Amino acid sequence: MYYNKLPGGEYIYLLLYVDDMLIASKSRSAIDKLKKDLSFEFEMKDLGEAKIVLGMEIERDRRSGKFSLTQKGYLQKVLQRFNINGDTKFVSTPLAPHLKLKVTMSSTITEERECMTHVLYANIVGSLIYAMVCTKSDLSQIVSMINRYMHDPGKGHWEQVKWVLRCAKGTIDVSLVFEKDSTSKYECIGYVDSDYARDLDKCRSTTGCVYIISSTVSWRSILQSTVALSITEAEYMAMTEAMKEAIWLQRLLDDLRIDQDLLKINCDSMSAIYLAKNLVYHARMKCWPKGLPP
């Protein structure tokens, strides 16, 4: 992304990808001048207002000051490619309650391993990762889980992937909606949480965080790098990851020349909050995670 300051104090932004260019600015005359200058130097075609960017479809409602992002066309191609047709029943939740993913679910029988070699597991997970990164924040946790077994998937892992595809089919029309704030305030509100030792392989915890500026702008679900010895420690590490994401968002908004009125992170663990305010070691913070031998 490139930006430049205009004589009137406004900024104009250029987003370059492959052979296309996306221009954004509050000044319509500045956009027209830039397109005219570029047309003298390069052979180019003006496609008008952006409607599709990197597989994301843009819909505007200027009267209400709203626009939405969706990947309906992309997801339809993915579902069609992997034979999820109109007769397939959709599910409402991305995580199947009857499936507990772990490494031991990988096939040990020769016939099953031979069958799994014909399954495009990595291709499907890669397609879901792209959808999750762009618009499907509801798939963050489960995509992070199925991605861990890409090197040696089993039938149980494959059943969970098909479950996710059925969920994506049911929410294919759901989009991210951004609404103009009449108060002109840019308040970034974050929410962070963690599950304690839910990883059945190494008893590690998962960090989840989401940030909202009039709508969801950033989300993440990632397995923690170390084993937390208590719920407090797991929540504290999750808050650390959330703060790093908050600092990145602050710098991004600064680059976009957007003044931030408020940055707030919400956490539901009082012990982690007190520990963040007063970093003092307490022996009661330690305990053995579930399933981990002493």
Side-chain angles (χ1 to χ4, degrees), residues 98-244:
H98 61 283
L99 292 176
K100 305 296 182 181
L101 300 183
K102 50 187 175 180
V103 174
T104 55
M105 295 174 66
S106 298
S107 303
T108 56
I109 304 175
T110 305
E111 290 78 5
E112 290 185 3
R113 297 187 69 88
E114 177 65 23
C115 180
M116 288 303 299
T117 57
H118 301 287
V119 174
L120 300 177
Y121 188 92
N123 300 58
I124 300 177
V125 173
S127 301
L128 291 173
I129 288 176
Y130 184 71
M132 178 271 295
V133 169
C134 294
T135 60
K136 303 295 290 183
S137 57
D138 57 321
L139 302 182
S140 296
Q141 182 183 11
I142 186 57
V143 170
S144 174
M145 295 175 65
I146 59 179
N147 186 38
R148 303 169 196 169
Y149 309 100
M150 194 180 296
H151 63 287
D152 188 19
K155 283 192 172 182
H157 304 130
W158 174 232
E159 289 297 323
Q160 177 61 78
V161 170
K162 290 192 292 185
W163 186 281
V164 178
L165 290 174
R166 291 167 58 191
C167 177
K169 178 179 180 293
T171 59
I172 196 170
D173 293 320
V174 177
S175 61
L176 288 177
V177 179
F178 299 87
E179 184 176 3
K180 184 178 181 180
D181 190 354
S182 58
T183 61
S184 300
K185 291 184 178 180
Y186 293 96
E187 298 180 349
C188 182
I189 310 297
Y191 299 88
V192 59
D193 201 358
S194 71
D195 63 352
Y196 175 56
R198 292 292 182 90
D199 178 33
L200 301 180
D201 299 318
K202 297 181 180 180
C203 289
R204 290 188 289 177
S205 306
T206 299
T207 294
C209 61
V210 60
Y211 287 89
I212 298 175
I213 306 178
S214 78
S215 183
T216 306
V217 296
S218 177
W219 52 87
R220 191 180 187 191
S221 178
I222 186 173
L223 194 67
Q224 294 181 357
S225 57
T226 58
V227 177
L229 299 181
S230 66
I231 297 177
T232 301
E233 187 177 353
E235 294 281 359
Y236 187 82
M237 289 193 289
M239 289 176 62
T240 303
E241 291 296 325
M243 282 303 304
K244 291 192 290 185

Side-chain angles (χ1 to χ4, degrees), residues 5-10:
K5 188 174 183 180
L6 303 175
E10 299 289 350

